[in-house]
Amino acid sequence: MDEQSVESIAEVFRCFICMEKLRDARLCPHCSKLCCFSCIRRWLTEQRAQCPHCRAPLQLRELVNCRWAEEVTQQLDTLQLCSLTKHEDNDKDKCDNHREKLSVFCWTCKKCICHQCALWGGMHGGHTFKPLVEIYEQHVTKVKDEVAKLRRRLMELISLVQEVERNVEAVRGAKDERVREIRNAVEMMIARLDNQLKNKLITLMGKTGGHVTVTVIEQLGGVCDTTSISIFTNTGYICILSSLYPNSEFYQTRIILKI
């Protein structure tokens, strides 16, 4: 629908009293003319009780409420806005000097011009011209090629990300497996050491006649530590005397254990 047709229809849906867009539309039952409710109410109450268009007698209660008129006016507003936008877009494709459609591309100036600018303008003398449609198709082809490259690169990046994620999962699984193996090895080692310690204690208690207590064992460990330190810090003579002296811890422990 062209702009003139839209404007003609819009005239039908104007209030014939205020000549503006209908608001709360009412229809005269005699001439079928549309008007605003506030306009016709003011006319009938302040002027005379007749239609201002057909002059037929008219009461306020006789007016027909046209609820559909508001939807029609909204659609007309939308059509007028679309027509205006289209008209502005068409103006953008026209030469500013000659108001002609842009159809030539000046390769020298890298600018879109009309055929009159190319032939008679004087500003593009000796320049190289190409049809604007050809330049547009070349540009579109180039853009499509670039988009295709970007899509291929995107697919490559997605594949790389997926591969990295698989590698991360594999490393995480291997780590968990090694942790389980180390934990099991440590638990087995602890169990084996506990078993060896238990067997040595049983053997030691058997050799000493079963009278070795935990306190004696702890005392023996302390004496061993003390003796080791004494060996490294004292002379050989002092170490020998310490081991033979009856009041020394080492000597008393040997008696308890009957070594």
Side-chain angles (χ1 to χ4, degrees), residues 31 41 45 92 105 164 168 197 219:
C31 62
R41 181 178 58 183
T45 55
K92 292 180 182 178
F105 183 79
V164 170
V168 170
L197 178 61
Q219 181 182 358

Side-chain angles (χ1 to χ4, degrees), residues 23-73:
R23 294 185 299 272
D24 194 9
R26 294 294 189 274
L27 183 141
C28 174
H30 305 288
C31 62
S32 301
K33 282 291 184 177
L34 294 169
C35 57
C36 302
F37 178 68
S38 59
C39 295
I40 191 65
R41 181 178 58 183
R42 185 181 301 113
W43 174 267
L44 295 177
T45 55
E46 298 179 2
Q47 299 296 328
R48 60 188 65 147
Q50 65 181 15
C51 175
H53 182 263
C54 64
R55 304 301 179 181
L58 182 64
Q59 297 296 326
L60 193 63
R61 63 178 180 275
E62 297 177 346
L63 295 171
V64 180
N65 187 3
C66 300
R67 299 183 180 89
W68 49 268
E70 183 177 358
E71 298 179 2
V72 174
T73 53

Side-chain angles (χ1 to χ4, degrees), residues 51-246:
C51 175
H53 182 263
C54 64
R55 304 301 179 181
L58 182 64
Q59 297 296 326
L60 193 63
R61 63 178 180 275
E62 297 177 346
L63 295 171
V64 180
N65 187 3
C66 300
R67 299 183 180 89
W68 49 268
E70 183 177 358
E71 298 179 2
V72 174
T73 53
Q74 290 177 356
Q75 294 296 327
L76 287 173
D77 292 340
T78 303
L79 289 174
Q80 289 177 338
L81 181 61
C82 292
S83 299
L84 181 60
T85 304
K86 185 177 180 180
H87 182 69
E88 292 177 353
D89 293 338
N90 291 334
D91 289 341
K92 292 180 182 178
D93 294 336
K94 291 183 179 181
C95 175
D96 295 335
N97 298 326
H98 304 97
R99 306 308 299 171
E100 295 286 342
K101 184 178 180 180
L102 300 175
S103 58
V104 181
F105 183 79
C106 180
W107 191 259
T108 306
C109 299
K110 305 296 182 184
K111 183 180 179 181
C112 298
I113 59 177
C114 68
H115 67 282
Q116 292 191 22
C117 290
L119 295 175
W120 319 109
M123 298 178 59
H124 302 276
H127 292 185
T128 302
F129 303 109
K130 289 187 177 182
L132 184 59
V133 176
E134 180 182 347
I135 300 299
Y136 172 77
E137 291 177 354
Q138 293 176 359
H139 182 71
V140 170
T141 302
K142 184 177 180 180
V143 171
K144 288 182 179 179
D145 293 340
E146 294 296 330
V147 171
K149 291 179 182 179
L150 289 176
R151 288 179 177 175
R152 288 194 295 270
R153 183 57 180 166
L154 177 62
M155 296 303 297
E156 293 176 358
L157 292 175
I158 292 175
S159 300
L160 289 175
V161 170
Q162 292 176 349
E163 184 177 357
V164 170
E165 291 178 351
R166 288 193 296 269
N167 292 336
V168 170
E169 291 296 330
V171 171
R172 187 180 289 111
K175 183 204 71 173
D176 295 338
E177 183 65 24
R178 295 297 179 273
V179 170
R180 286 193 294 269
E181 292 177 357
I182 293 173
R183 185 180 291 110
N184 293 333
V186 170
E187 291 176 353
M188 292 176 62
M189 186 179 297
I190 293 174
R192 186 165 59 250
L193 290 175
D194 289 342
N195 191 29
Q196 291 178 0
L197 178 61
K198 186 182 297 183
N199 292 334
K200 289 184 180 296
L201 289 175
I202 292 174
T203 302
L204 182 61
M205 292 179 67
K207 288 183 179 181
T208 58
H211 64 279
V212 178
T213 63
V214 175
T215 303
V216 174
I217 292 174
E218 294 177 351
Q219 181 182 358
L220 178 60
V223 171
C224 290
D225 295 337
T226 304
T227 304
S228 299
I229 296 173
S230 177
I231 290 173
F232 288 103
T233 57
N234 298 325
T235 62
Y237 175 75
I238 295 176
C239 291
I240 293 173
L241 291 179
S242 297
S243 63
L244 297 177
Y245 189 69

